[in-house]
């Protein structure tokens, strides 16, 4: 992933099945994964298997570390998660969610 030829460091907030699959596929395609969140023991184990050595950080730290952030938390947590990070997002940063049930708003 790049903007104007520059590689964007990826961050994934929510390392469940979707977040893990997305991050793993992008990493395998050569895109750097800067950091992820993994709150549960299962998510931390999944991270160690799929992206060993990738920093596991808080959502705020992931948002600060990455130019492209995927929010892959459960649908009902997307709004609160993004709102919680309102003061962390910066101009030029790309943020996407992976919900098929929610629109762009």
């Amino acid at each position: 992933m790049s903007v104007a030829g520059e590689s964007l460091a990826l961050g994934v907030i929510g390392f469940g099945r979707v977040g893990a699959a997305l991050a793993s596929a992008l990493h395998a395609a050569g895109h750097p994964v800067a950091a992820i969140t993994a709150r549960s023991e299962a998510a931390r184990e999944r991270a160690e298997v799929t992206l060993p050595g990738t920093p596991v950080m808080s959502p705020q730290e992931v948002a600060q570390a990455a130019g492209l952030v995927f929010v892959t938390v459960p649908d009902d947590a997307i709004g609160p998660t993004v709102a919680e990070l309102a003061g962390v997002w910066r101009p030029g940063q790309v943020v996407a969610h992976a919900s098929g049930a929610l629109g762009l708003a």
Side-chain angles (χ1 to χ4, degrees), residues 14-32:
F15 209 71
R17 289 179 297 206
V18 172
L22 182 62
S24 295
L26 291 169
H27 176 72
H31 302 290

Side-chain angles (χ1 to χ4, degrees), residues 27 30 36 65 68 95:
H27 176 72
I36 60 171
L68 172 58
V95 181

Side-chain angles (χ1 to χ4, degrees), residues 71-82 97 99 101-102:
V71 180
T72 57
V73 298
D75 290 352
D76 62 346
I78 292 171
T81 299
V82 173
H97 67 75
S99 171
L102 301 176

Side-chain angles (χ1 to χ4, degrees), residues 3 7-8 11-12 14 17 22-24 27 34 40 42-43 45 50 53-55 59 63 72 74 81 86 92-93 102:
V3 174
S7 181
L8 289 177
V12 178
R17 289 179 297 206
L22 182 62
S24 295
H27 176 72
S40 72
E45 289 174 7
T50 59
T54 300
T72 57
T81 299
Q93 191 171 34
L102 301 176

Side-chain angles (χ1 to χ4, degrees), residues 10-74:
L10 305 175
V12 178
I13 298 175
F15 209 71
R17 289 179 297 206
V18 172
L22 182 62
S24 295
L26 291 169
H27 176 72
H31 302 290
V33 179
I36 60 171
T37 63
R39 292 187 181 186
S40 72
E41 183 61 32
R44 287 188 292 279
E45 289 174 7
R46 188 178 302 114
E48 190 56 40
V49 169
T50 59
L51 294 172
T54 300
V56 177
M57 301 177 166
S58 71
Q60 292 81 6
E61 292 169 320
V62 171
Q64 291 170 340
L68 172 58
V69 180
F70 289 98
V71 180
T72 57
V73 298

